[in-house]
């Protein structure tokens, strides 16, 4: 990501990234139930994997406070952007592809590949590391507004800021 200082206590950040798996718990539970039903009906051995990576782009506004003498400055932030989610589900039974069988057995349909709005809020602590550099430690809660279900995200992050 990159940021610019809009005023003494306001920063504007642009960020792009990838989340490795945002598959909602409800969908994971449905897949596990469907797999258990298939195994109980004789589809054994049955192996499946399910992930839903997301790539995203966000614009964020950060409100900072004046750093203390120790160089610590708390901040809050909020942002909006877009996320592109891509479900990846594969299944095998006795060495044969059983992906379609698994997907047809799921009570709730799996999210289709789509690009949807994403919102985040968070906060953290900026630690001065030099006259023009700092280490940021923070937490962000986000929501991706897919068609089927809202997908929550939780991120703990660390970053280095270097100014000119």
């Amino acid at each position: 990501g990159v940021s610019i200082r809009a005023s003494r206590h306001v920063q504007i950040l642009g960020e792009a990234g990838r989340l490795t798996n945002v598959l909602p718990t409800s969908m994971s539970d449905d897949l596990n139930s469907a797999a258990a039903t298939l195994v109980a009906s004789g589809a054994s051995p049955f192996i499946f994997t399910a992930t839903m990576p997301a790539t995203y782009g966000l614009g964020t506004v950060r409100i900072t406070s004046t750093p203390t003498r120790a160089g610590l400055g708390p901040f809050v932030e909020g942002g909006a952007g877009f996320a592109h989610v891509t479900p990846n589900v594969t299944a095998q039974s006795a060495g044969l592809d059983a992906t379609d069988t698994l997907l047809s057995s799921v009570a709730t349909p799996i999210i289709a590949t789509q690009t949807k709005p994403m919102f985040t809020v968070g906060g953290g602590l900026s630690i001065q590391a030099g006259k023009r550099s700092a280490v940021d430690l923070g937490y962000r809660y986000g929501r991706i507004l897919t068609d089927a279900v809202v997908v929550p995200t939780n991120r703990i992050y660390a970053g280095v800021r270097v100014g000119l």
Side-chain angles (χ1 to χ4, degrees):
V2 296
S3 70
I4 60 169
R5 184 175 294 267
S7 70
R8 181 176 166 101
H9 296 290
V10 177
Q11 296 174 2
I12 299 171
L13 297 91
E15 173 184 345
R18 179 174 167 82
L19 302 167
T20 57
N21 189 10
V22 296
L23 185 70
T25 303
S26 61
M27 290 187 177
S28 179
D29 292 345
D30 284 350
L31 286 165
N32 285 328
S33 294
T37 301
L38 290 169
V39 168
S41 66
S44 184
F46 190 85
I47 301 168
F48 81 95
T49 60
T51 62
M52 191 166 67
T55 54
Y56 67 90
L58 291 171
T60 306
V61 174
R62 178 181 287 181
I63 309 297
T64 63
S65 68
T66 304
T68 64
R69 287 184 186 252
L72 304 176
F75 61 83
V76 295
E77 58 192 11
F82 289 92
H84 180 78
V85 296
T86 308
N88 296 318
V89 178
T90 61
Q92 284 190 343
S93 178
L96 301 173
D97 184 13
T99 304
D100 290 338
T101 304
L102 175 64
L103 292 177
S104 66
S105 302
V106 176
T108 309
I110 301 300
I111 293 173
T113 297
Q114 56 190 279
T115 302
K116 291 296 180 179
M118 178 179 184
F119 301 96
T120 63
V121 295
L125 186 64
S126 185
I127 305 163
Q128 290 297 123
K131 189 169 186 166
R132 295 188 179 185
S133 62
V135 174
D136 292 342
L137 304 173
Y139 166 79
R140 278 192 190 159
Y141 173 78
R143 293 177 75 107
I144 302 170
L145 306 177
T146 62
D147 291 337
V149 63
V150 173
V151 177
T153 64
N154 294 282
R155 293 181 283 160
I156 297 173
Y157 66 91
V160 176
R161 284 187 297 119
V162 178
L164 301 173

